[in-house]
């Protein structure tokens, strides 16, 4: 089964902030497209943390191993998973500069949640939900 995961955060910059995040899971069924979505408020997080946490929230909704197409606004997430995650694990969660990996707990959780899935990242690509997700995470409640 193929599942598209679309994530969005309204956090910007390196400053800790309260931010709204959201995701959509989408797959094709015999009856057409099926989606699940969720929006949450994360408190006292950086933009990178919010992007990491919203992907974790989405993956926790998965109930079977699938082919994942992950649509994110975050080059950080894509680069970390594709280029650094394996070396962080093999170096006991120490980065190339010899320092502990920032957000280690979240990276470990993401690594477990991605295990067994085939996945591909799409960064800042246009898709049918992008504008809607952006408007929803920026909506004032």
């Amino acid at each position: 089964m193929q599942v598209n995961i679309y994530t969005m955060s309204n956090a910007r910059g390196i400053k800790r902030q309260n931010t709204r995040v959201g995701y959509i899971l989408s797959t094709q069924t015999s009856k057409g497209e099926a989606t699940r979505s969720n929006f949450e408020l994360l408190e006292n997080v950086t933009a990178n943390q919010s992007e990491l946490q919203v992907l974790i929230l989405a993956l926790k909704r998965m109930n079977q191993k699938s082919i994942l197409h992950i649509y994110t606004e975050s080059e950080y997430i894509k680069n970390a998973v594709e280029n650094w995650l394996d070396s962080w694990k093999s170096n006991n969660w120490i980065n190339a500069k010899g320092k502990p990996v920032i957000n280690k707990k979240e990276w470990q959780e993401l690594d477990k949640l991605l295990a067994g899935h085939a996945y591909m990242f799409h960064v800042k690509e246009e898709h049918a939900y992008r504008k809607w997700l952006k408007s929803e995470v920026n909506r004032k409640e």
Side-chain angles (χ1 to χ4, degrees):
M1 174 165 63
Q2 179 176 313
V3 176
N4 294 333
I5 300 175
Y6 306 94
T7 65
M8 186 71 65
S9 167
N10 72 354
R12 299 292 173 256
I14 60 173
K15 186 176 127 187
R16 291 188 168 276
Q17 58 202 285
N18 295 340
T19 187
R20 190 165 150 86
V21 297
Y23 66 82
I24 297 172
L25 300 177
S26 169
T27 191
Q28 290 297 320
T29 70
S30 60
K31 296 178 182 177
E33 182 181 26
T35 62
R36 289 185 175 178
S37 63
N38 188 44
F39 295 89
E40 294 193 18
L41 179 67
L42 302 179
E43 296 181 351
N44 196 34
V45 295
T46 65
N48 285 342
Q49 286 174 317
S50 71
E51 295 282 359
L52 184 54
Q53 289 181 21
V54 72
L55 181 53
I56 289 168
L57 289 170
L59 288 167
K60 283 182 173 181
R61 295 284 300 268
M62 299 290 301
N63 55 20
Q64 70 183 44
K65 299 303 179 193
S66 302
I67 299 167
L68 305 177
H69 285 267
I70 301 168
Y71 293 81
T72 177
E73 300 295 300
S74 177
E75 288 281 348
Y76 170 68
I77 299 294
K78 176 186 186 296
N79 288 334
V81 171
E82 291 181 353
N83 301 315
W84 311 319
L85 193 59
D86 287 338
S87 64
W88 289 344
K89 288 189 315 188
S90 65
N91 290 327
N92 199 26
W93 299 96
I94 301 297
N95 66 23
K97 295 180 180 178
K99 299 189 182 225
V101 170
I102 296 172
N103 306 316
K104 172 184 162 183
K105 180 179 147 198
E106 289 86 353
W107 285 115
Q108 289 173 326
E109 186 171 11
L110 181 64
D111 183 49
K112 285 180 191 172
L113 290 168
L114 285 172
H117 293 286
Y119 52 86
M120 177 184 303
F121 284 90
H122 306 269
V123 178
K124 297 182 181 177
E125 284 186 26
E126 285 300 324
H127 55 76
Y129 297 108
R130 191 166 188 231
K131 287 180 183 173
W132 181 77
L133 269 172
K134 192 174 219 172
S135 70
E136 287 297 305
V137 298
N138 286 319
R139 188 165 53 101
K140 303 289 184 218
E141 299 221 9

